[in-house]
Amino acid sequence: MSHRGKAGPVCSLKFVTLLVVLSAELLPLGAIVQLRDNGYDGLLIAIHPQVAEDQNLIPNIKEMITEASFYLFNATKKRVFFRNIKILIPATWEANNYIKVKQESYDKANVIVSDWHGAQGDDPYTLQYKGCGKEGKYIHFTSNFLLNDNLTAAYGSRGRAFVHEWAHFRWGVFDEYNNEKPLYINGQNQIETTRCSSDIAGTFICEKGPCPQENCIISNLFKDGCMFIYNSTQKATSSIMFMQSLSSVVEFCNASTHNQEAPNLQNQMCSLRSTWDVITDSADFNKSVPMDETELPPTPTFTLVQAAEKVVCLVLDVSSKMAEANRFLQLQQAAEFYLMQIAEMNTLVAIVSFDSKGEIRAQLHQIKNVDDRKLLVSFLPTTVSAEAKTSVCSGLKKGFEVVEKLNGKAAGSVIILVTTGDDERIDNCLPTVLSSGSTIHSIALGSSVARNLEELSHVTGGLKFFVPDKSSSTSITDAFSRISSGTGDIFQQSIQLISAGEVVEPHRQLKITVPVDNSVGNDTTFLVTWQTSDPPEIVLFDPDGRKYGASNFTNNPALHTARLLIPGTAKPGNWTYNLNNTHHSRQALKVTVSSRASSTTAHPATVEAYVERDSTHFPHPVMIYANVRKGFYPILNATVTATVEPETGEPVTLTLLDDGAGADIIKNDGIYSRYFFSFVINGRYSLKVHVYHSLKISTQGHFVPGSHAMYVPGYIANGNIQMNAPRKPVSRSEEEQWVFSRVSSGGSFSVLGVPTAPYPDVFPPCKIIDLEAAKSEDEVTLSWTAPGEDFDQGQATSYEVRMSKSLQSIQDDFDNAILVNTSQLNPQEAGLKEIFTFSPKLFTKGNEHQSDEESPESNRIYMAIRAMDRNSLKSAVSNIVQTSLFTSQNSAPVTARDGLILKGVLTALGLVGIICLSIIIAYYILSRKKRTAKKENGAKLL
């Protein structure tokens, strides 16, 4: 990594100090929710542009949050409440003196309101992808849920439903019900319904009404027409994560009420911990104390903001360093592509260039047609400056100046900042940046860019990108392609289908096949770029074999680009490129294809790539995610490849997986994940994700992933069955099969502390997160996905399985739990399924001391596993599973009624035995007395 100057630490200190002294009003806006004095500030609720305007929607949102605030305050024992909330009104709604947005946007919202709901109808849900105790991505409500009062019978009041989802989103707890496993066998070998707490009572009902439990269950599943209906009146006060709709439920399950046996996601993801245990371990609780007993939280304050015109300013570095490594040409090519294809219609665009000082090259100009786009392209800088010095602040100052000419403020505008300079004075303009209300997306070119450049993006809620000095890299075009208006309206946004580059030898060809699926096709553009003065020979074939040659493309010789816009809707199928390098020397040839949705009613397939954190320190890995979906539906069985480019060195590729193991928390949720730890150097790394889907395999999931508020089909009230209306059917096409390709930049991240290679093995196997246990007679079968030698790559060396009668013991002291013999268990390659069966007979021999929490008659055991690599590095302990210890060999699960009948029969038999024994004893005594009397009478006669 190149030298970054001696001023770095001093500037960093200045920057931190500056943030501390700035008022709370200047802190990052948008998605960052802060807890201050027990109150949450900065919660952002955004309404999708396609939601129809309704005068009741805003009041109902306010009412929901107000109720939720007091309910949450009591549920957390006077710990937290909602103080300040912003509601983002879409620009499609009529203006009503709403406050103009600053950095707020739909894409940054914590809570989204959209009518594109899933097969679960109007279920409120939270998209979770990081695991237990980790924050989710967003909470989703449909407008129908917020407007239709009839739905409160099935979900409970909206405020209660919001608290259920807030716990998912903020604290990373999971649902305590399970629609797929509504029943389980408890430790007493009885069939129970999956719930928490187990004190919540109800009745089995069949088609004609209440029925015995045994009439409703076959092989631990409900018969058709059967279900378990809960009483509307309960004594149980928990749990909010099970059934917040019950009026008695006002608490989260804690250690004393938590049902560890229930096969729900909370137990699986959080190793049998109660929701309250996870919540109290959160940063929110570590940084706050309960309010006074008599003190009540204030009523929430709401601010309504609305987006106005879309305003973008390109702030482009033209210092002499831009001439290095072809940076300036790449910038020109990417900026042209952005203006001609990516920027949405009706966007106001300005252009600023800078070296040591800024210059306005184009005032704000609105894009209404292709001529407007061409005009803006003509204002792009054409030469680099002779000056090496750069002043980012000077460029930003001119950027703010030009956008403020619209209405006197920069609030709500977007700055796309591209620079290669090592300007260490960025902190000088931070107050201006923070107070501007503008969002800054930063694109760093090369390895010498100042370290604190990305802070401009971080504090304004912008994206950040890195472009390595590699001729075949498409990172800068990918970065521009990722930047959208943030409105959430995917039908207006450009979608990148492919982005590829390669250094091609003289008179050699680059062949690329681009599948155009039927969900896209409008405004389809094929872009070819090259390095030298001689353009390549271009031949493009559509799916029907029609040929497009150089004469069909629009060339820009100065920028070395050729662009073809397909009129109307591009024909679905494979389009094939042939690029022939006619130059006498090797050069980088690149292809980018983008398109827009073919319909305003059917969602196109999309991919969103991101990392868990913006920076890491060696040896901690970075978790890479790609959310692949069509609307809100997950797309399954796709081939998802991440390409990571360091500042120097070759790119690293790895396949992302949706298998519910390793970095991937939930299987088949459309979020593909993987650990990245192939660090070669300190500095910035660029991320790009490519998704390809084959025609041969089914693609679309039948459900919307996430943690949902329970839909209650009905209640038992005063002995009467009161059924709710069934879920509203959702029209959707059958499972689709089609070929598609998508590309998306995942931005950049930075890594520090990387030692000089070669370094010793410091990467352990990853944590096993999908351990499951099944019991058969006196044996237990464990199953899990194999981890790797290094996280989720390679092959581990051995496994360590331990068990205990005490959950607390195995959680807190895994090393001292009973070790199971796994000498015959050899780990497989990462990603393969492992199965291990053993008999836990050690428990019958008193090998473990009885814990205080376990009664002598306890028959439950807890098990966990960890993996070890060849250098004895151990993974974290897996999720904990449990099962009952022993039952009679021929015993079968009994229902609660069967248990009562058996108990009655045994009691009756016992009473009969006692009566019989009493009669026998009485008869014996009476007979003995008679014999004695006869003897005495006989003696008298003698």
Side-chain angles (χ1 to χ4, degrees):
M1 183 175 174
S2 61
H3 181 62
R4 297 190 187 274
K6 298 179 180 179
V10 176
C11 290
S12 299
L13 181 60
K14 284 182 181 179
F15 173 72
V16 172
T17 306
L18 187 63
L19 283 183
V20 171
V21 299
L22 287 171
S23 68
E25 202 56 39
L26 296 182
L27 288 174
L29 302 174
I32 297 179
V33 179
Q34 296 180 325
L35 182 64
R36 179 172 56 86
D37 298 332
N38 299 93
Y40 288 115
D41 293 326
L43 175 64
L44 179 61
I45 303 173
I47 302 171
H48 193 276
Q50 292 196 335
V51 171
E53 186 167 0
D54 190 296
Q55 61 180 359
N56 295 318
L57 189 57
I58 301 301
N60 284 6
I61 291 175
K62 291 181 177 180
E63 182 182 319
M64 174 179 70
I65 300 300
T66 301
E67 179 195 1
S69 184
F70 288 97
Y71 187 56
L72 181 67
F73 182 71
N74 291 321
T76 57
K77 307 186 190 316
K78 299 181 176 293
R79 206 65 172 258
V80 294
F81 60 90
F82 298 109
R83 181 188 287 112
N84 296 311
I85 299 93
K86 289 185 178 180
I87 302 176
L88 177 59
I89 311 297
T92 52
W93 285 25
E94 186 178 341
N96 192 19
N97 295 321
Y98 301 121
I99 296 173
K100 187 178 179 181
V101 297
K102 291 187 177 180
Q103 287 100 350
E104 302 89 357
S105 69
Y106 182 89
D107 290 349
K108 301 175 191 174
N110 314 111
V111 182
I112 59 176
V113 179
S114 170
D115 282 338
W116 295 99
H117 48 74
Q120 292 87 349
D122 292 295
D123 281 4
Y125 74 89
T126 302
L127 186 61
Q128 294 180 270
Y129 64 97
K130 291 184 181 179
C132 185
K134 303 292 183 64
E135 193 167 291
K137 192 163 181 62
Y138 58 74
I139 299 171
H140 177 271
F141 293 102
T142 66
S143 60
N144 189 53
F145 174 84
L146 296 169
L147 294 170
N148 187 352
D149 292 338
N150 294 329
L151 291 175
T152 59
Y155 296 102
S157 67
R158 297 185 185 102
R160 284 171 169 254
F162 188 88
V163 171
H164 177 99
E165 298 308 322
W166 180 256
H168 287 314
F169 172 78
R170 184 70 178 185
W171 300 314
V173 296
F174 291 84
D175 289 321
E176 293 171 330
Y177 67 91
N178 190 337
N179 288 331
E180 295 182 0
K181 295 181 180 179
L183 304 171
Y184 69 97
I185 300 172
N186 67 11
Q188 288 70 47
N189 207 33
Q190 295 179 331
I191 294 176
E192 288 280 358
T193 55
T194 301
R195 63 194 190 274
C196 192
S197 73
S198 54
D199 295 332
I200 295 179
T203 302
F204 287 92
I205 66 166
C206 302
E207 293 178 352
K208 297 181 180 180
C211 61
Q213 185 180 22
E214 63 270 18
N215 290 356
C216 216
I217 297 172
I218 298 178
S219 301
N220 300 341
L221 294 174
F222 285 123
K223 295 180 183 177
D224 289 339
C226 288
M227 62 182 68
F228 190 82
I229 301 297
Y230 294 93
N231 299 336
S232 61
T233 303
Q234 302 276 350
K235 294 181 180 179
T237 59
S238 61
S239 168
I240 292 171
M241 301 315 295
F242 171 65
M243 207 169 178
Q244 76 286 338
S245 57
L246 292 172
S247 58
S248 67
V249 170
V250 293
E251 297 177 329
F252 296 97
C253 258
N254 56 35
S256 63
T257 58
H258 181 57
N259 182 4
Q260 297 172 357
E261 293 183 298
N264 55 40
L265 207 53
Q266 172 64 23
N267 278 332
Q268 177 188 333
M269 301 300 298
C270 298
S271 290
L272 310 182
R273 296 171 66 196
S274 71
T275 54
W276 185 243
D277 184 26
V278 176
I279 291 169
T280 53
D281 269 354
S282 68
D284 287 350
F285 277 60
N286 291 332
K287 295 176 182 178
S288 63
V289 294
M291 294 170 62
D292 295 338
E293 283 294 323
T294 58
E295 195 174 358
L296 292 176
T299 302
T301 300
F302 297 90
T303 303
L304 306 184
V305 298
Q306 186 177 35
E309 304 93 344
K310 291 175 282 190
V311 179
V312 176
C313 182
L314 305 184
V315 179
L316 311 176
D317 188 348
V318 294
S319 66
S320 61
K321 283 192 174 182
M322 289 294 294
E324 300 174 8
N326 237 12
R327 295 170 189 163
F328 187 66
L329 178 60
Q330 291 189 70
L331 169 60
Q332 289 176 304
Q333 293 170 342
E336 182 203 35
F337 182 65
Y338 175 82
L339 294 172
M340 294 301 301
Q341 177 66 15
I342 305 301
E344 298 172 20
M345 293 297 290
N346 300 313
T347 302
L348 289 155
V349 180
I351 301 174
V352 167
S353 63
F354 70 95
D355 44 27
S356 63
K357 56 185 180 299
E359 177 188 0
I360 298 174
R361 300 188 63 87
Q363 300 290 341
L364 285 173
H365 186 82
Q366 190 170 33
I367 297 176
K368 295 182 178 180
N369 51 49
V370 69
D371 290 334
D372 294 319
R373 295 181 183 275
K374 291 178 179 178
L375 178 63
L376 285 166
V377 170
S378 71
F379 289 114
L380 288 172
T382 56
T383 57
V384 260
S385 165
E387 190 171 357
K389 188 177 180 182
T390 59
S391 173
V392 169
C393 290
S394 296
L396 291 175
K397 182 180 179 181
K398 285 296 181 180
F400 294 143
E401 178 185 325
V402 70
V403 299
E404 286 172 358
K405 291 180 180 180
L406 182 65
N407 53 25
K409 293 182 179 179
S413 64
V414 170
I415 303 289
I416 301 178
L417 172 64
V418 185
T419 183
T420 189
D422 55 354
D423 182 5
E424 296 290 353
R425 301 178 304 280
I426 292 175
D427 56 308
N428 292 341
C429 54
L430 276 171
T432 303
V433 168
L434 287 165
S435 62
S436 70
S438 180
T439 298
I440 298 178
H441 303 302
S442 61
I443 303 177
L445 305 183
S447 59
S448 62
V449 183
R451 285 182 298 173
N452 55 351
L453 172 71
E454 285 86 354
E455 294 300 337
L456 296 170
S457 299
H458 176 72
V459 299
T460 61
L463 302 172
K464 48 187 174 297
F465 305 92
F466 164 67
V467 180
D469 287 332
K470 186 175 181 182
S471 59
S472 61
S473 174
T474 61
S475 294
I476 190 166
T477 305
D478 301 334
F480 272 102
S481 298
R482 173 68 188 273
I483 298 171
S484 69
S485 62
T487 63
D489 190 354
I490 190 62
F491 299 104
Q492 301 298 319
Q493 296 174 13
S494 180
I495 298 170
Q496 200 172 4
L497 306 187
I498 198 166
S499 173
E502 186 176 312
V503 175
V504 180
E505 298 295 331
H507 308 294
R508 296 288 182 176
Q509 289 187 341
L510 173 63
K511 295 184 178 181
I512 297 176
T513 298
V514 184
V516 176
D517 59 281
N518 58 14
S519 73
V520 295
N522 288 348
D523 199 21
T524 302
T525 299
F526 295 83
L527 174 71
V528 177
T529 67
W530 59 93
Q531 287 180 291
T532 67
S533 57
D534 298 328
E537 181 182 90
I538 304 172
V539 178
L540 174 66
F541 294 96
D542 75 4
D544 290 335
R546 178 183 174 183
K547 181 179 177 181
Y548 296 85
S551 60
N552 300 112
F553 282 74
T554 301
N555 284 358
N556 188 330
L559 302 186
H560 299 181
T561 64
R563 187 174 57 88
L564 171 64
L565 174 64
I566 304 298
T569 302
K571 187 173 184 61
N574 287 334
W575 293 65
T576 305
Y577 257 118
N578 285 320
L579 303 181
N580 182 20
N581 180 16
T582 58
H583 195 63
H584 58 78
S585 62
R586 64 201 308 258
Q587 66 169 323
L589 302 181
K590 304 176 192 178
V591 173
T592 299
V593 182
S594 65
S595 187
R596 283 184 165 83
S598 59
S599 165
T600 58
T601 57
H603 276 85
T606 60
V607 57
E608 180 188 9
Y610 45 90
V611 292
E612 183 186 27
R613 59 170 68 96
D614 296 335
S615 62
T616 191
H617 197 283
F618 185 89
H620 299 293
V622 170
M623 282 189 269
I624 297 174
Y625 302 99
N627 188 1
V628 186
R629 64 190 189 277
K630 190 174 185 183
F632 289 106
Y633 287 104
I635 294 177
L636 311 180
N637 304 316
T639 300
V640 183
T641 305
T643 301
V644 180
E645 293 183 286
E647 291 187 0
T648 59
E650 293 301 310
V652 178
T653 61
L654 68 161
T655 301
L656 308 187
L657 304 173
D658 186 17
D659 60 354
D664 192 69
I665 300 301
I666 297 175
K667 184 177 182 178
N668 289 340
D669 64 351
I671 299 178
Y672 296 73
S673 318
R674 203 72 186 270
Y675 290 104
F676 175 76
F677 51 91
S678 300
F679 307 129
V680 295
I681 195 170
N682 290 307
R684 296 179 175 94
Y685 289 71
S686 176
L687 169 65
K688 177 172 77 173
V689 167
H690 176 229
V691 179
Y692 177 78
H693 201 283
S694 168
L695 182 65
K696 296 180 181 179
I697 47 180
S698 60
T699 60
Q700 197 168 317
H702 288 289
F703 66 96
V704 172
S707 301
H708 296 243
M710 178 193 278
Y711 178 90
V712 181
Y715 297 96
I716 304 294
N718 300 319
N720 298 317
I721 300 173
Q722 297 180 353
M723 298 302 294
N724 293 318
R727 273 196 180 112
K728 181 177 66 175
V730 179
S731 61
R732 66 176 292 266
S733 59
E734 293 299 316
E735 195 170 72
E736 298 181 57
Q737 296 185 352
W738 85 109
V739 176
F740 72 88
S741 172
R742 297 291 186 271
V743 169
S744 177
S745 171
S748 65
F749 59 90
S750 60
V751 182
L752 297 175
V754 180
T756 303
Y759 43 78
D761 180 17
V762 291
F763 303 120
C766 64
K767 176 182 176 180
I768 294 167
I769 63 173
D770 61 344
L771 181 66
E772 294 182 351
K775 185 174 173 298
S776 176
E777 298 182 350
D778 63 345
E779 290 186 328
V780 173
T781 297
L782 300 177
S783 61
W784 66 94
T785 302
E789 164 79 11
D790 297 333
F791 293 108
D792 53 5
Q793 298 179 31
Q795 186 173 351
T797 301
S798 63
Y799 290 119
E800 180 182 2
V801 177
R802 292 185 182 268
M803 56 188 181
S804 173
K805 285 185 179 180
S806 165
L807 173 61
Q808 193 71 36
S809 295
I810 203 166
Q811 282 177 337
D812 299 342
D813 195 10
F814 177 82
D815 289 334
N816 287 321
I818 295 176
L819 182 65
V820 177
N821 184 358
T822 57
S823 58
Q824 301 301 312
L825 178 60
N826 296 315
Q828 301 184 80
E829 192 73 20
L832 297 179
K833 202 68 179 178
E834 300 274 28
I835 296 176
F836 174 64
T837 300
F838 71 101
S839 179
K841 294 180 179 179
L842 292 172
F843 283 109
T844 63
K845 301 178 181 180
N847 287 44
E848 187 179 49
H849 293 295
Q850 192 76 37
S851 72
D852 294 336
E853 70 181 64
E854 296 290 335
S855 58
E857 61 271 18
S858 172
N859 63 348
R860 195 183 307 168
I861 57 170
Y862 303 92
M863 293 152 287
I865 185 173
R866 66 182 172 191
M868 185 182 301
D869 69 9
R870 65 171 66 94
N871 291 313
S872 300
L873 295 177
K874 297 180 179 179
S875 71
V877 176
S878 72
N879 62 299
I880 299 171
V881 294
Q882 59 85 30
T883 187
S884 57
L885 184 55
F886 291 116
T887 57
S888 175
Q889 183 173 349
N890 297 317
S891 67
V894 297
T895 63
R897 184 169 182 253
D898 291 338
L900 291 174
I901 293 172
L902 180 61
K903 193 185 223 180
V905 170
L906 292 175
T907 302
L909 289 174
L911 290 173
V912 170
I914 292 171
I915 292 171
C916 291
L917 182 60
S918 299
I919 292 173
I920 292 172
I921 293 173
Y923 176 79
Y924 174 77
I925 294 173
L926 187 60
S927 299
R928 188 171 181 180
K929 284 183 179 180
K930 285 182 179 180
R931 286 197 298 270
T932 302
K934 285 181 181 181
K935 287 181 182 180
E936 290 178 352
N937 290 335
K940 288 180 181 179
L941 291 173
L942 292 174

